[in-house]
Amino acid sequence: MSDTTLSFDIIIVGSGLAGCSAAAVCAENGKKTAVFTKLHPLRSHSGAAQGGINAALYEDNTEKHQYDTVKGSDYLADQDAVELLCTQAPQIVRRLEEQGAVFSRTEDGRIAQRPFGGQQPHRACYAKDRTGLTLLQTTYETAHRGGVRFFPEWYVLDLLYNMEEHRAYGIIAYDLCTTALTTVIAKGVILATGGYARAFARNSNTHANTGDALSIALRHGLPLKDMEFVQFHPTGLADSGILISEAARGEGGYLLNAGGERFMKQYAPERAELAPRDVVSRAVESEIREGRGIGQKNGRKKDAVYLDVSHLGPAIIHSRLPELQDLALSFQGVDLTDGPVRVAPTAHYSMGGIATDLYGRVEFARGPDKTCNGLYAAGECGCISVHGANRLGGNSLLEAAVFGRIAGETAVREIAHKKVDPDGACARENLTAAKTNLETLFTGTTKKDQYALRRKLIEGMSAYAGIFRTAETLEKQLETIKQLRKDYTSLRVKDRSKRFNTELQDVLELGHLIDYSMVIVSAALKRRESRGAHFRTDFPKRNDKKWLCHSFSYQKQKPDSEGDIHHEYIPVRTGKFLIERRKY
Ligand SMILES: Cc1cc2nc3c(=O)[nH]c(=O)nc-3n(C[C@H](O)[C@H](O)[C@H](O)COP(=O)(O)OP(=O)(O)OC[C@H]3O[C@@H](n4cnc5c(N)ncnc54)[C@H](O)[C@@H]3O)c2cc1C
């Protein structure tokens, strides 16, 4: 393994909508900018987003958008962060349009908007059902034209980070083609590695969504915030978990149980199928658990319900939902114009992440001004607390675009007077550790099978830390993860080739999955209430007196009798919207 050193003003890890938005701003401001990404940029998960991006345009207003977002979050969102998100939305959508994003249009030429769960006026701007791909292409091209240097198919292994100074100096990465380690020095590092629902067996995420930056941050002593809140989307394809977007219900699709009944009216009398995702997912899961699911034919369990859009007719389905039509045909052999598709909840989005302030600066502890020097995070891997305990559909592309730009602007401002400082000692120490880690994986043999360990982890996460949780199920999963962590240390890579070694990448990603899953489960065990996507059947009520607060979770350097993870709590930043009972 050879090592070389590269140097930039700003490095971005990840090339999804958040990473490309940040990169475009840095380049616009004349900074020497590089994006390192383990995928080709256009294969980032942002490109899979189908339904839309929220913005209060026309008859709508940003105040209503804020209200829906705060209520949707089950009041756990910080209201100043929500205000920033929603007031920036119209200009972000218009900027994307000016840069070349082709949105669908109404007859009179306005940007078309569809209804999404938990929001009143039609607010999700869309490009058919390929919104994410359109926005990602536009932002990637803008960053490219601005002179950003992309390093596609490079795996970022670690940060160069000095824990005493709370300062980032760069990253350690390797080219997937050669496995050659490279140290990359920079004045600022922006983490934008996306979501991490791959920790669950049935999920809607791309294979790359393994939460790498979260576990890297944890290992450097940095806290993760609100990790107990994982969103399950009610309509994944029953066998694969592949997403059938909320656009299907937004356009008028129904959910039906085995008796052909539109059951959502019982769970959310006013909004029915267009209630927020946490409400609809629990309803679907309850129908299945209570024996009203469908699918017992061909040896299948009754583990799904029907989603029907056939009554919309071929014209609407072909013009507004073509991608969903393709997915249903390819993965279930169902033509949506003829009849319903089998769906079930799928792990989809993670509200928690690397704790940041409103400017995208990574926080090393709770409290004002406890932010790292030269380290930022944006997009789904970060947690600015705009989604609280439950995200509304269409708010995540928005978050990636808005806070990607803000993190970029902050980095540009803060590095203005900094010199590139290779901090020899810190870089050498981090590089030596990374090298030793890789060399260990390539030395000796093992009887353990990493894929069996992964299966055990993700099946346990779905069964015991999924939509419904109790202390008993969470404790069981915590024990499993502790054992998996021990087993992990004896894993070795059997394939010794240095070219595109996917076994090596899989084992590194498994390490990340294990580390942050431990935090999800441990934080869920601590929070003895139900709020948004976190539902404890043993504590089924929301408890604002005790739990109107964010969790900050740290990995202990040395586990003690209290466990491996240390939790602290900070109050939610409330504001003009009163905390109310949440009903739809
Ligand atoms: C199927 C689906 C549909 C969705 N639909 C919508 C929708 O309609 N509206 C909406 O608002 N939201 C939607 N979402 C959510 C939204 O798409 C995501 O939250 C958002 O796009 C995340 O953007 P990001 O830039 O943070 O991450 P991503 O787009 O996931 O990008 C992550 C990047 O990190 C890189 N990376 C990760 N680890 C490493 C590493 N170790 N080294 C190097 N690179 C690394 C990857 O290569 C990738 O480029 C959907 C999500 C899914 C899964």
Side-chain angles (χ1 to χ4, degrees), residues 546-559:
K546 184 131 199 279
W547 290 108
L548 192 60
C549 54
H550 300 289
S551 61
F552 263 57
S553 308
Y554 303 79
Q555 193 175 65
K556 292 180 190 165
Q557 300 300 317
K558 280 204 181 111

Side-chain angles (χ1 to χ4, degrees), residues 13-19 36-41 44-54 116 131 136 154-157 192-195 204-206 208-210 212-213 216 243 245 277 348-349 378-381 391-398 400 512:
V13 184
S15 57
L17 188 58
F36 286 79
T37 167
K38 63 184 176 181
L39 301 171
H40 182 278
S44 303
H45 191 64
S46 294
Q50 299 156 352
I53 176 169
N54 288 335
F116 255 16
T131 314
L136 183 60
W154 278 62
Y155 191 86
V156 175
L157 263 185
T193 59
S204 68
N205 281 198
T206 174
N209 281 2
T210 49
D212 301 352
I216 291 171
L243 192 76
S245 161
R277 290 174 182 173
H348 178 61
Y349 182 85
E380 195 171 335
C381 77
R391 167 178 78 89
L392 293 183
N395 267 355
S396 174
L397 287 175
L398 179 62
H512 297 141

Side-chain angles (χ1 to χ4, degrees), residues 28-43:
E28 259 167 41
N29 284 279
K31 300 298 168 210
K32 193 178 161 200
T33 308
V35 174
F36 286 79
T37 167
K38 63 184 176 181
L39 301 171
H40 182 278
L42 294 181
R43 297 184 67 109

